Amino acid sequence: MKHLLQSFCLLAALAACLGLLIPSAEAADKVSYEVNQVTLKGNTITFQGNFVNKSDNYQRVLGLHIKYRLSDIDAYPLLIGAFDSEDLSVDIGKDPVPFTISVTDNQAGMYTTEDVAVWKIDDTVELE
């Protein structure tokens, strides 16, 4: 009996290492925030985008953390910053859900929307 239990534990450990026994919650519940437009007006940067659900399960977004880097046509960084929101309750199904973020950045007034040619957004989405 002891040998059988040890064999089972060894097989379970091997299966877990191979990802066969315990599916990754991150893979099953992946939601991202994808930006499709950035505008600058005064000291405000507006990110227009969508929450996109890459799983078959309905999800609820509770928080969003982004790091942004806005660059000119030559990839010279114009604005670098971050945004955190903890008080969200956005339900996500199969269809993308539009979501707009406005960030105040004191340096943004130095540039216009036309100055921004490239943006890089790193997002972390907190789910229920």
Side-chain angles (χ1 to χ4, degrees):
M1 182 70 163
K2 183 178 178 182
H3 181 62
L4 183 63
L5 183 59
Q6 287 175 340
S7 296
F8 178 77
C9 289
L10 182 61
L11 284 173
L14 180 60
C17 287
L18 295 174
L20 300 174
L21 187 61
I22 304 170
S24 169
E26 183 179 325
D29 297 336
K30 183 65 178 157
V31 171
S32 64
Y33 180 65
E34 298 178 4
V35 175
N36 47 32
Q37 185 175 4
V38 176
T39 55
L40 279 69
K41 184 173 184 182
N43 287 343
T44 302
I45 305 169
T46 302
F47 299 96
Q48 293 177 317
N50 299 297
F51 283 113
V52 178
N53 186 356
K54 297 176 182 163
S55 77
D56 292 333
N57 304 320
Y58 277 89
Q59 306 289 338
R60 176 167 290 149
V61 175
L62 300 178
L64 174 65
H65 311 281
I66 65 169
K67 294 179 183 177
Y68 60 88
R69 177 181 173 145
L70 309 180
S71 304
D72 66 10
I73 192 90
D74 297 320
Y76 181 81
L78 304 174
L79 299 165
I80 299 173
F83 170 82
D84 291 315
S85 177
E86 299 286 338
D87 299 326
L88 298 178
S89 182
V90 180
D91 292 327
I92 313 292
K94 289 197 176 269
D95 296 325
V97 175
F99 194 75
T100 300
I101 300 168
S102 293
V103 178
T104 301
D105 186 320
N106 292 335
Q107 302 298 315
M110 297 171 41
Y111 306 103
T112 66
T113 300
E114 291 76 25
D115 294 327
V116 178
V118 178
W119 59 80
K120 181 176 183 337
I121 310 293
D122 294 322
D123 68 302
T124 302
V125 179
E126 291 181 27
L127 301 175
E128 182 175 65

